[in-house]
């Protein structure tokens, strides 16, 4: 069976013996068309299965009503919440979302930027790979507004909206010290990205502010497997694998900060198998406040990240640029000079650190 031809405005017009212009105005609820005619046109459009051709409309209006979102890892729970917030906010403003996944590959990111330019999207939100900015510079110079999310690209003259990872690491480290921790470790991904760098900086600066040194081996890196797609869900396995050796190093009262809650999950399992009681003999603090964190035993103290707030602030900023560009007849969409907006995370205290109460506060 051959596919059915798409219903057009002309089909509706011929069916009702009206002009195409009248049908178009009726569907757009223009006052120049009578109420009864509008009712008949909409009923016939429904009967024939008419769907407006958004691409044709965008060519006429020179506005695709579509935004690009370039993301590294959609299975990351933080990014999943970010996408939902962006899509919901965009939908209320009449915009559709075109999602591109890079899996932290600069080649994939370059292709995504080129595809979005070809599709003529109205603006782009991007979590950059952080290895090369030439393709983003080309996109920006082509007149497509760009806002970065969560990761910075120094030298690229655009807005950034993200999380204050430095402040989150400082809050977690201060909390560990306030409970009387005798040793502190930070377990982080072996990735050259700004959130990791900022957490390490916050950890070290907090220790220095208390007159404490942080030996090189206080920051423990978890290998990121190169043969596994980063778009699969986070895996507690690598952190679990190094947990046994870390348990042998950690003395009584040690607290281990983890770069994400999945690492914390792996560490908790490893420590338990080595005979260490999390929340009694050793402390663990996560990062992310993923849904399972409150249901571990003991419940995990962690840093809650403002994913929806980042998403909404990012798309709001982008749409300011989009609307300014449309109003000025195709400028680069500059609203003001580039801004860096870092939203504060929240420390959620539960029971996984010795000397703290078990309830969230």
């Amino acid at each position: 069976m051959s596919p059915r031809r798409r219903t057009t405005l002309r089909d509706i017009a011929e069916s009702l013996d009206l002009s195409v212009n009248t049908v178009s105005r009726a569907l757009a609820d223009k006052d120049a068309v009578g109420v009864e005619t509008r009712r008949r046109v909409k009923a016939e459009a429904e009967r024939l299965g008419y769907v407006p051709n958004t691409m044709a409309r965008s060519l006429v209006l020179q506005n695709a009503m579509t935004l690009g979102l370039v993301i590294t890892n959609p299975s990351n729970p933080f990014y999943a919440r970010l996408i939902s917030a962006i899509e919901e906010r965009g939908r209320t403003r009449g915009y559709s979302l075109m999602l591109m996944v890079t899996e932290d590959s600069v080649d994939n990111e370059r292709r995504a930027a080129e595809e979005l330019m070809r599709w003529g999207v109205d603006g782009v939100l991007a979590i950059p790979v952080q290895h090369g900015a030439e393709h983003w510079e080309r996109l920006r110079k082509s007149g497509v507004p760009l806002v970065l999310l969560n990761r910075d690209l120094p030298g690229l003259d655009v807005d950034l909206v993200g999380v204050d990872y430095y402040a989150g690491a400082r809050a977690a480290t201060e909390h560990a010290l306030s409970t009387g921790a005798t040793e502190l470790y930070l377990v982080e991904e072996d990735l050259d990205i700004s959130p990791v760098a900022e957490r390490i900086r916050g950890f070290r600066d907090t220790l220095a502010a208390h007159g404490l040194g942080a030996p090189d081996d206080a920051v423990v890196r978890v290998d990121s497997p190169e043969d596994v797609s980063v778009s699969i869900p986070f895996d507690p396995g690598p952190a679990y694998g190094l947990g046994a050796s870390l348990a042998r190093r950690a003395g009584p009262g040690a607290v281990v900060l983890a770069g994400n809650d999945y690492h914390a999950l792996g560490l908790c399992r490893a420590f338990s198998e080595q005979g260490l009681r999390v929340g009694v003999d050793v402390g663990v603090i996560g990062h992310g406040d993923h849904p399972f964190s409150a249901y571990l035993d003991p419940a995990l103290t962690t840093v809650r990240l403002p994913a929806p707030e980042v998403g909404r602030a990012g798309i709001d900023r982008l749409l300011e640029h989009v609307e300014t560009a449309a109003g000025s007849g195709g400028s680069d969409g500059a609203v003001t000079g580039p801004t860096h907006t870092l939203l504060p995370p929240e420390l959620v205290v539960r029971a996984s650190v010795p000397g703290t109460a078990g309830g969230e506060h």
Side-chain angles (χ1 to χ4, degrees), residues 319-330:
L319 290 177
E320 288 181 48
H321 288 295
V322 169
E323 290 163 4
T324 299
S328 61

Side-chain angles (χ1 to χ4, degrees), residues 42-76:
K42 289 180 180 180
E44 188 66 4
E46 178 72 19
R47 187 184 74 80
L48 295 177
Y50 172 74
V51 177
N53 188 326
T54 303
M55 183 172 291
R57 178 179 179 273
S58 70
L59 289 172
V60 173
L61 300 178
Q62 294 188 324
N63 187 333
M65 297 303 291
T66 301
L67 304 175
L69 174 58
V70 181
I71 203 160
T72 57
N73 180 356
S75 68
N76 179 331

Side-chain angles (χ1 to χ4, degrees), residues 86-125:
I86 291 170
E87 194 281 330
E88 189 275 337
R89 185 73 125 220
R91 180 165 21 92
T92 64
R93 300 282 293 273
Y95 285 85
S96 299
L97 201 63
M98 182 179 291
L99 178 65
M100 314 286 277
V101 177
T102 67
E103 297 185 349
D104 262 316
S105 160
V106 70
D107 289 336
N108 290 345
E109 183 179 82
R110 188 178 296 111
R111 282 192 291 270
E114 291 169 355
E115 283 291 317
L116 291 170
M117 280 188 280
R118 282 197 289 270
W119 276 99
V121 296
D122 298 304
V124 173
L125 293 162

Side-chain angles (χ1 to χ4, degrees), residues 24-326:
S24 177
R25 288 177 171 275
L27 291 175
D29 283 321
K30 298 294 186 181
D31 292 336
V33 181
V35 174
E36 176 59 22
T37 299
R38 273 185 274 172
R39 185 196 65 75
R40 289 176 58 219
V41 167
K42 289 180 180 180
E44 188 66 4
E46 178 72 19
R47 187 184 74 80
L48 295 177
Y50 172 74
V51 177
N53 188 326
T54 303
M55 183 172 291
R57 178 179 179 273
S58 70
L59 289 172
V60 173
L61 300 178
Q62 294 188 324
N63 187 333
M65 297 303 291
T66 301
L67 304 175
L69 174 58
V70 181
I71 203 160
T72 57
N73 180 356
S75 68
N76 179 331
F78 173 82
Y79 290 157
R81 295 197 298 271
L82 184 83
I83 293 169
S84 293
I86 291 170
E87 194 281 330
E88 189 275 337
R89 185 73 125 220
R91 180 165 21 92
T92 64
R93 300 282 293 273
Y95 285 85
S96 299
L97 201 63
M98 182 179 291
L99 178 65
M100 314 286 277
V101 177
T102 67
E103 297 185 349
D104 262 316
S105 160
V106 70
D107 289 336
N108 290 345
E109 183 179 82
R110 188 178 296 111
R111 282 192 291 270
E114 291 169 355
E115 283 291 317
L116 291 170
M117 280 188 280
R118 282 197 289 270
W119 276 99
V121 296
D122 298 304
V124 173
L125 293 162
I127 299 168
V129 173
Q130 294 192 295
H131 295 289
E134 299 83 4
H135 43 287
W136 294 127
E137 188 63 35
R138 285 197 303 275
L139 180 139
R140 190 184 69 84
K141 288 182 176 178
S142 75
V144 180
L146 171 67
V147 171
L148 300 181
L149 298 175
N150 212 47
R151 300 180 184 178
D152 194 11
L153 266 177
L156 190 63
D157 200 25
V158 297
D159 292 328
L160 166 72
V161 179
V163 176
D164 192 340
Y165 290 103
Y166 177 81
R170 292 210 65 156
T173 309
E174 288 282 4
H175 175 68
L177 291 171
S178 74
T179 65
T182 56
E183 298 175 59
L184 272 79
Y185 298 92
L186 174 63
V187 173
E188 272 293 355
E189 292 179 279
D190 191 18
L191 293 175
D192 183 20
I193 56 176
S194 54
V196 170
E198 287 299 287
R199 285 194 293 265
I200 293 174
R201 188 169 71 89
F203 173 71
R204 291 190 180 280
D205 283 358
T206 306
L207 292 180
H210 285 265
L212 303 172
D216 290 340
D217 62 358
V219 177
V220 182
R221 295 293 194 131
V222 175
D223 289 336
S224 299
E226 295 183 359
D227 59 338
V228 178
S229 167
V230 298
S231 66
I232 65 173
F234 282 6
D235 183 3
Y240 168 77
L242 62 80
S245 62
L246 192 55
R248 289 190 291 270
R249 288 171 51 192
V255 175
V256 182
L257 285 67
N260 64 64
D261 287 349
Y262 286 87
H263 289 165
L265 177 61
L267 291 169
C268 287
R269 173 68 180 269
F271 291 160
S272 177
E273 291 179 355
Q274 295 298 312
L276 295 176
R277 296 167 297 171
V278 174
V280 178
D281 304 314
V282 65
V284 176
I285 299 177
H287 208 93
D289 194 28
H290 299 325
F292 64 81
S293 301
Y295 298 94
L296 295 177
D297 186 17
L300 183 66
T301 292
T302 186
V303 177
R304 179 178 293 158
L305 304 178
E309 292 84 355
V310 169
R312 288 190 287 267
I315 191 172
D316 286 349
R317 185 64 174 168
L318 179 64
L319 290 177
E320 288 181 48
H321 288 295
V322 169
E323 290 163 4
T324 299

Side-chain angles (χ1 to χ4, degrees), residues 5-17:
R5 182 177 65 82
R6 182 184 183 118
T7 300
T8 66
L9 292 175
R10 186 171 298 280
D11 295 327
I12 302 171
E14 290 176 353
S15 175
L16 296 175
D17 195 23

